[in-house]
Amino acid sequence: MQRRRWIPLLLLRKLLSVAICLIAFMALFSVHVHLFPSSKPNDHKFNDKIHTSHDLQSWMQELAPPHLSNFSKVPLHISKTRKLNGSRWNSDYKKLWKPPSNRGFLPCTKPTPNYTTPTESQGYLLVHTNGGLNQMRAGICDMVAVARIINATLVIPELDKRSFWHDTSNFSDVFDEEHFINSLANDVKIIKKLPKELVNETRMVKQFISWSGMDYYENEIARLWEDFRIIRASKSDSRLANNNLPPDIQKLRCRACYEALRFSPHIEQMGKLLVERMRSYGPYIALHLRYEKDMLAFSGCTHDLSPDEADELRMIRENTSHWKIKDIDPIDQRSKGYCPLTPKEVGIFLTALGYPSNTLIYIAAGEIYGGESHMTELRSRYPSIMRKEKLASIEELEPFANHASQMAALDYIVSIESDVFIPTYSGNMARAVEGHRRFLGRGRTISPDRKALVRLFDKLNQGTMSEGKKLSNRIILLHKRRLGSPRKRKGPISGTKGMDRFRSEEAFYANPLPDCLCRTEPPVNISHIVR
């Protein structure tokens, strides 16, 4: 009897031993799997769906070389919302990034069959460019055309070193000099320096009349070759008409601007690197936030500024001798749409258009006036704001530091490649980027209707309107046809005369259609086919 009682106890003991061994084996197996994950690509799909904040930080740091000390400042939620949350990619969200139709227009810059190679040069054209990067770009391209018209040998233009930015950069520091010369060899003879034997020769220094046509250059300017072998253009901006020029001259301007005038290799390389780092998070807006000291001082715009800030800008304007207008009514300027949007107004504008708060924004601009004190409200709506100083290390940007034109060139490249470009003011960069993107058929360019927007913003401030669906619908409707799609360049405003007539025309480099964009085939209407 006693032996029979021990049998169940022995069985129970064996079962417990087996259970303990099984538990130990399972524990060992789990540790092995954790320490030595399978190398097969399909074995970790489930685990890839789970990311800790440490995983995200590691993933983001791998987007750039390890030495990028500033790159860790990138908001972590950018990668999370763009890489992991596929549900955001609904049809409404996609529409915000969808490029406008090019309507069948493509670049066409080849000269006509009647175009000939340059004949024997009559003399040398020296050019002193003026203004910032994009003002100089347009002037250089116009001077290429002028050199062709007057049959001159163009000496590589001298960049402006005396403007507001005091940039010491030479042409070869900003642009690819060899490419510029070689690309235009069949159009204009270009040399790097004036021949030594002519360095001390008397030259005619002349400021060409603004917005001049063929007659002016073929007659009045070309006649100067009778007495001089060297003509020096003291300014280059807006010296050639926008319209009513021969097709080959217009096409030459486009070849110069969009094909020959390429940035120097070190700028191109850094610009492309910045674009790659922006693209690693998905689509982005390049915002040309022209809320900078020089623009506010020049335009006299003081909305949302303190009395001390307004007074500082007034003093800058009064002490800048080549700015002709000194006494400016800031309220009148703003009501006419002559002021750049403030960062706060940009935030309201983007929200009304439907861009969500985690939209990635690249600020293409110099130092914002007032710094973070004026960026607070924009950043509260859109915290994912990037600048080149945040995307690149101090060491990477060091070669461009203290060179405003080269830093602006980096912004230009990132803006050209952006999914959406939004300028807050219709200045030289806004026009240059808009025209270049239109020429390339690149993304959407939203040009804010500042005059209409000011009225809406004032209603918000007065409390007669609030943010919401009504405001959003108004702003979306206002900008339905301001998305950068191809359209014919606008002529002068009706009723304007003289210089005002030419000044009111849409700038050639803001819209090179119809001269440099051609519709190869008429667009096919498929509405009767697709139901």
Side-chain angles (χ1 to χ4, degrees), residues 77-187:
H77 68 274
I78 296 177
S79 61
K80 186 174 181 180
T81 56
R82 298 189 192 297
K83 298 296 183 183
L84 306 179
N85 191 357
S87 62
R88 284 187 56 227
W89 286 89
N90 52 46
S91 59
D92 289 338
Y93 183 73
K94 288 181 180 178
K95 286 179 183 176
L96 294 172
W97 306 99
K98 183 180 180 182
S101 170
N102 68 359
R103 296 169 49 212
F105 284 101
L106 296 172
C108 56
T109 62
K110 290 184 178 179
T112 66
N114 297 327
Y115 194 74
T116 60
T117 56
T119 56
E120 186 177 354
S121 173
Q122 295 292 306
Y124 297 89
L125 177 62
L126 302 179
V127 176
H128 176 78
T129 60
N130 58 294
L133 172 70
N134 294 288
Q135 189 172 333
M136 291 191 292
R137 276 177 60 93
I140 290 167
C141 298
D142 279 355
M143 288 301 118
V144 168
V146 168
R148 170 79 189 195
I149 294 170
I150 65 175
N151 196 18
T153 294
L154 178 66
V155 180
I156 285 290
E158 176 187 347
L159 300 190
D160 190 345
K161 296 178 174 63
R162 297 175 297 177
S163 64
F164 181 87
W165 301 273
H166 300 289
D167 190 346
T168 59
S169 298
N170 294 315
F171 188 97
S172 59
D173 296 321
V174 181
F175 303 108
D176 189 331
E177 195 171 67
E178 297 296 335
H179 179 77
F180 181 70
I181 294 171
N182 296 332
S183 295
L184 297 170
N186 293 327
D187 302 293

Side-chain angles (χ1 to χ4, degrees), residues 102 105 107 433-443 445 447 483-487 506 510-513 517:
N102 68 359
F105 284 101
V433 173
E434 180 183 1
H436 203 155
R437 285 168 65 85
R438 185 174 274 130
F439 177 80
L440 295 172
R442 188 71 50 82
T445 299
S447 301
L483 302 179
S485 60
R487 58 168 175 75
E506 185 174 17
N511 186 3
L513 192 156
L517 287 168

